[in-house]
């Protein structure tokens, strides 16, 4: 059993958008928003905020930019206690892209960063706080960093920011519950005044299990997506997370209903979930991009050759 | 990391057969046998052994009966160190159905039982040992028994049988890693001279995670199936189990190859895996049969109503 102080962060549209360039209709996102609100979800990440100077708007759907006016369309006149936010990437957002929080329908902004860019992430997080938003830092690809560098980075965040939480992000989907226990414990040790969160990927069918482990190890924020939607193998399914938390504030039925109404058909058109090429990149602690490329080719089900190729001496040399 | 004394038990054909009444061709089973042998799997459970007097042979495929001559066809002249076996259900097999082990291609027989039938299971396991086979007992539906009865049952098995191991079977797929830790610890405490095994179901996407937990808690046998095939939500995927064990005797590539050659097409015709109605029965600790019935109806994707029905006061009263 978990305490009722755990916060559920839905990133269905933001992470799901990585599959289809964020080309979800406003109608669809409005339905997801209403379902999450009825389910009692605490935080909803609606997309990325990015500069239109850097991403040609014609190539991407609205949730690559997630403008304030688009968010207002989604909320309409619905009264909701759910906090709304976006993710920003280092170097892909400009100062002008963020109005003061008092003028925005957004409550929080999460900074996604690699550990090597932690100083830029700290700068951006502080800018976000100055504008009046709640801030988070997500350290991506955590399975590829060494713990000495990580400790140093966490200490900098602890000392130099006002973020609410720092999230462990298993970008490659290659971590086991014991790894999560170790990582969350290290975060807890270094972050005296900040909370810890967790963002899973499901390459090894461990997205939900690792999320449970993160909570057992002291994480207070946990990411999830409806039906586990997300790039590649997808994420921790929101329906499983809500069911296991057993907090009376959460309701499973609205999530089940939005899955049957929207996600069953959606999955016929865009692909996510436990599929062997993503399992292979997870096992090898590789970014899923090579598996995504395989799935888009005419050799999409040639699993054995794909594995042989990734484990060949030539491939190792090219790393 | 796990020790190299862990044994992998494949039950692809036996558990997968629950979906299609064991109507797998000998050619298909031979290919699976060769793949498992090349992968280094320790035990292969080929099907159920059952009396033809009780199950009309016309309704079922060969792996409902798994006759010795059928097994000989599968092995052919292949030299293999993999142990072959079958599962038997209490009251569904007759003494004549088992020849002495010296006359059979089978090495092991597993007795599936509910805890209430443990005395019958002990009798059958002893009969199996007397015939010269290695024996196991699988206690099914372990999420529905109380631990006092379970301790008593385990003590009886400890004192009255020569089984190699007793398996924790999460029939409803409703257990979390912490439950597995508790159950395997209880088994370890009561079974001084027997080993412990684990058989997962994947209703909550925890099949693999619970298997890892079982091994961390001291299980020495672990069931798995190719691509997680199995009734309802399926089982712990063999490819994930082999990859995580990191024992050089196991080889992943033959498993990946048989998935691409056989299981990709198979899954277009028969259904298994993480599907919401199975998640719902898992969350509610129900047998998956109501979810299987839903999936065979024209309301197969009406998840919210299904959940509402199973959690209604009327439904609770009928339990």
């Amino acid at each position: 059993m978990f305490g009722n102080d755990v916060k559920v962060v839905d990133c269905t549209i933001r992470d799901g958008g990585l599959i289809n360039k964020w080309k979800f209709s406003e109608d669809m996102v409005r339905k997801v928003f209403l379902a999450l609100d009825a389910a009692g979800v605490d935080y909803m990440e609606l997309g990325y905020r990015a500069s239109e100077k850097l991403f040609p708007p014609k190539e991407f759907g609205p949730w690559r930019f997630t403008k304030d006016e688009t968010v207002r369309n989604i909320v309409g006149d619905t009264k909701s206690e759910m906090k709304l936010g976006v993710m920003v990437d280092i170097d892909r957002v400009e100062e002008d892209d963020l109005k003061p929080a008092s003028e925005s329908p957004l409550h929080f902004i999460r900074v996604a960063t690699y550990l090597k860019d932690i100083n830029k992430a700290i700068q951006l997080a502080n800018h976000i706080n100055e504008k009046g938003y709640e801030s988070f830092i997500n350290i991506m690809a955590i399975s590829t960093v060494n713990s000495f560098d990580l400790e140093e980075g966490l200490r900098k965040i602890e000392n130099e920011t006002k973020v609410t939480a720092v999230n462990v992000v298993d970008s490659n989907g290659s971590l086991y519950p014991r790894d999560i226990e170790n990582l969350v414990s290290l975060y807890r040790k270094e972050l005296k005044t900040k909370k810890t969160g967790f963002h899973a990927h499901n390459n090894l069918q461990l997205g939900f299990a690792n999320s449970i482990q993160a909570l057992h190890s002291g994480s207070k924020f946990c990411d999830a997506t409806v039906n586990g939607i997300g790039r590649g193998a997808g994420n921790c399914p929101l329906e499983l997370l809500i069911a296991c938390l057993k907090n009376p504030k959460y309701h499973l039925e609205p999530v089940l209903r939005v899955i049957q109404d929207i996600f069953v058909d959606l999955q016929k058109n865009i692909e996510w979930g436990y599929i062997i090429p993503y399992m292979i990149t997870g096992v090898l602690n590789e970014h899923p991009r090579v598996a995504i490329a395989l799935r888009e080719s005419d050799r999409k089900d040639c699993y054995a050759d794909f594995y042989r190729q990734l484990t060949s001496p030539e491939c190792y040399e090219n790393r």
Side-chain angles (χ1 to χ4, degrees), chain A residues 69-140:
Chain A
E69 56 261 38
T70 319
V71 176
R72 284 195 190 94
N73 291 343
I74 296 307
V75 178
D77 55 7
T78 305
K79 300 279 177 226
S80 169
E81 304 211 339
M82 186 164 66
K83 291 186 183 180
L84 302 178
V86 294
M87 179 167 273
V88 292
D89 282 327
I90 302 292
D91 293 336
R92 293 187 191 167
V93 65
E94 303 196 343
E95 294 225 353
D96 299 349
D97 293 320
L98 297 178
K99 290 209 185 92
S102 57
E103 298 166 30
S104 168
L106 299 181
H107 308 92
F108 73 94
I109 297 179
R110 304 206 296 178
V111 179
T113 184
Y114 293 105
L115 186 60
K116 69 182 176 58
D117 294 322
I118 204 73
N119 288 326
K120 286 183 181 177
I122 288 170
Q123 209 168 21
L124 187 51
N126 286 336
H127 177 67
I128 287 164
N129 275 111
E130 281 157 23
K131 292 249 174 165
Y133 300 93
E134 187 175 2
S135 69
F136 296 83
I137 290 178
N138 281 21
I139 307 179
M140 299 185 290

Side-chain angles (χ1 to χ4, degrees), chain A residues 57-314:
Chain A
K58 282 188 183 165
E59 274 183 38
F60 297 93
W63 317 102
R64 187 71 189 92
F65 309 101
T66 321
K67 295 179 182 175
D68 285 349
E69 56 261 38
T70 319
V71 176
R72 284 195 190 94
N73 291 343
I74 296 307
V75 178
D77 55 7
T78 305
K79 300 279 177 226
S80 169
E81 304 211 339
M82 186 164 66
K83 291 186 183 180
L84 302 178
V86 294
M87 179 167 273
V88 292
D89 282 327
I90 302 292
D91 293 336
R92 293 187 191 167
V93 65
E94 303 196 343
E95 294 225 353
D96 299 349
D97 293 320
L98 297 178
K99 290 209 185 92
S102 57
E103 298 166 30
S104 168
L106 299 181
H107 308 92
F108 73 94
I109 297 179
R110 304 206 296 178
V111 179
T113 184
Y114 293 105
L115 186 60
K116 69 182 176 58
D117 294 322
I118 204 73
N119 288 326
K120 286 183 181 177
I122 288 170
Q123 209 168 21
L124 187 51
N126 286 336
H127 177 67
I128 287 164
N129 275 111
E130 281 157 23
K131 292 249 174 165
Y133 300 93
E134 187 175 2
S135 69
F136 296 83
I137 290 178
N138 281 21
I139 307 179
M140 299 185 290
I142 203 73
S143 59
T144 66
V145 306
N146 76 57
S147 53
F148 306 109
D149 293 344
L150 182 55
E151 281 170 17
E152 196 181 327
L154 292 172
R155 278 197 290 270
K156 282 187 82 83
I157 296 174
E158 169 66 15
N159 294 328
E160 299 173 22
T161 76
K162 293 178 175 170
V163 299
T164 302
V166 187
N167 296 317
V168 176
V169 183
D170 180 16
S171 302
N172 293 355
S174 63
L175 296 176
Y176 289 89
R178 295 254 155 147
D179 302 317
I180 304 304
E181 191 177 1
N182 291 334
L183 281 164
V184 173
S185 300
L186 190 150
Y187 274 54
R188 297 304 316 125
K189 183 164 75 74
E190 300 298 340
L191 299 169
K192 309 286 186 210
T193 65
K194 275 85 182 167
K195 293 189 163 57
T196 298
F198 181 65
H199 181 94
H201 282 282
N202 207 28
N203 301 58
L204 305 182
Q205 292 194 4
L206 293 172
F208 176 47
N210 284 343
S211 299
I212 297 174
Q213 181 60 59
L215 298 175
H216 279 307
S217 300
S219 284
K220 294 298 176 190
F221 287 84
C222 191
D223 287 13
T225 65
V226 175
N227 213 11
I229 191 174
R231 181 166 62 182
N235 298 88
C236 171
L238 179 68
E239 62 275 15
L240 290 172
L241 183 62
I242 278 185
C244 94
L245 287 175
K246 295 185 174 63
N247 181 341
K249 78 163 282 199
Y250 299 124
H251 304 286
L252 187 56
E253 197 178 308
V255 182
L256 300 177
R257 195 169 294 281
V258 80
I259 293 174
Q260 76 179 41
D261 290 347
I262 293 179
F263 287 78
V264 171
D265 279 340
L266 189 63
Q267 202 157 23
K268 292 172 187 160
N269 300 315
I270 64 174
E271 176 177 282
W272 73 88
Y274 177 73
I275 299 165
I276 297 294
Y278 301 123
M279 173 265 180
I280 292 171
T281 57
V283 163
L284 299 176
N285 193 12
E286 294 269 352
H287 191 279
R289 69 176 70 84
V290 286
I292 291 167
L294 184 82
R295 293 301 291 170
E296 289 170 351
S297 77
D298 57 3
R299 294 180 57 74
K300 71 189 187 112
D301 288 320
C302 295
Y303 309 148
D305 287 353
F306 179 65
Y307 177 70
R308 182 172 287 198
Q309 180 199 329
L310 287 182
T311 53
S312 68
E314 297 75 24

